[in-house]
Amino acid sequence: NEACPRHDLRFVKPGKRETEAIIDSSAYSLKNGAEDLYGRASSGPLPHRAYLAEARRKRHVWQPGDYHYIILEHSATDGHWGETYQLVSLGEPKPEYVKAMRAVDEAIRAAAAAIKPGATVGEVADASDRLLAEAGYAAPRQPGAPARAIGHSQGLDVWEFPRIAADDPTIILPGMRFNLHPAVALADGAVITHCDCWISTETGARRLYTVPG
């Protein structure tokens, strides 16, 4: 699954068209064993998340200073899905975006550290929520307010329960999948996030990615 975004990055450069990279990456995925595909992409001067319909409509040609979100999800080994979700900067990113991404990284690590048998899914999300609140990127959730999801599970379908949110009481057992992607929304409208995938073990959690995180 990680080979696909690496392949996509070969095309992400000024002067190239976003939709052409998506088509090529999809073909690469199918050629290399993907049984089914789900993707999202968005590009422009402001990091934002969107569906492929926007990419097809805009037919964006990358410019210096653009940001590109690419979400590639594939089912391959015995029908099991994997997710990669990355934000790419075509140039030097704004310092406030770098700072926000570092907070997202820390929130993911805090959530992953809370994954262990006997804990709840809600405790995993709460660890991420607390860190982002302490960093000034989120307000503490008020009693009775709905919890915002920081991710989801995944297996034989592209999206599966449990929904990883602070109000989810599901007890964690070994072998559960956690796709963690907490997000930071900034005042200029930018949304900063990426995904890291983990699986619960007998004693904690194991990271499924091999890319640096």
Side-chain angles (χ1 to χ4, degrees):
N1 203 53
E2 290 177 14
C4 298
R6 290 193 181 102
H7 182 81
D8 179 76
L9 288 175
R10 296 170 52 206
F11 299 90
V12 182
K13 59 187 68 175
K16 296 290 186 179
R17 193 178 297 277
E18 180 185 46
T19 49
E20 292 174 358
I22 294 169
I23 291 168
D24 189 275
S25 296
S26 298
Y28 177 87
S29 301
L30 293 169
K31 181 180 178 180
N32 286 276
E35 299 170 0
D36 202 354
L37 304 175
Y38 172 81
R40 294 173 64 181
S42 61
S43 294
L46 191 71
H48 68 289
R49 297 174 294 186
Y51 292 96
L52 288 181
E54 176 182 298
R56 288 193 290 265
R57 176 177 56 82
K58 292 173 62 177
R59 292 180 54 80
H60 183 77
V61 175
W62 283 306
Q63 305 296 323
D66 274 350
Y67 297 88
H68 170 53
Y69 264 121
I70 181 66
I71 304 172
L72 298 170
E73 303 186 56
H74 318 91
S75 64
T77 307
D78 297 324
H80 287 84
W81 284 79
E83 178 178 10
T84 60
Y85 185 167
Q86 299 295 332
L87 174 60
V88 180
S89 175
L90 281 77
E92 189 68 25
K94 291 183 177 181
E96 57 266 37
Y97 296 170
V98 174
K99 181 181 177 183
M101 184 62 82
R102 287 174 178 158
V104 168
D105 287 340
E106 292 174 4
I108 289 174
R109 286 194 290 269
I115 300 172
K116 50 190 173 185
T120 67
V121 169
E123 290 173 312
V124 173
D126 188 56
S128 170
D129 291 346
R130 284 200 312 271
L131 192 143
L132 290 179
E134 291 168 2
Y137 289 112
R141 184 166 65 98
Q142 298 301 311
R148 183 178 64 174
I150 66 155
H152 56 89
S153 190
Q154 194 173 48
L156 294 176
D157 206 345
V158 67
W159 195 102
E160 293 186 358
F161 287 103
R163 174 179 176 266
I164 303 171
D167 56 1
D168 192 302
T170 303
I171 301 296
I172 297 172
L173 300 173
M176 292 174 62
R177 173 73 171 270
F178 291 80
N179 291 19
L180 304 173
H181 39 77
V184 166
L186 298 178
D188 65 355
V191 175
I192 307 298
T193 186
H194 74 93
C195 180
D196 210 11
C197 297
W198 298 72
I199 189 165
S200 56
T201 67
E202 296 287 344
T203 57
R206 177 170 61 88
R207 188 170 183 256
L208 297 179
Y209 278 168
T210 62
V211 297

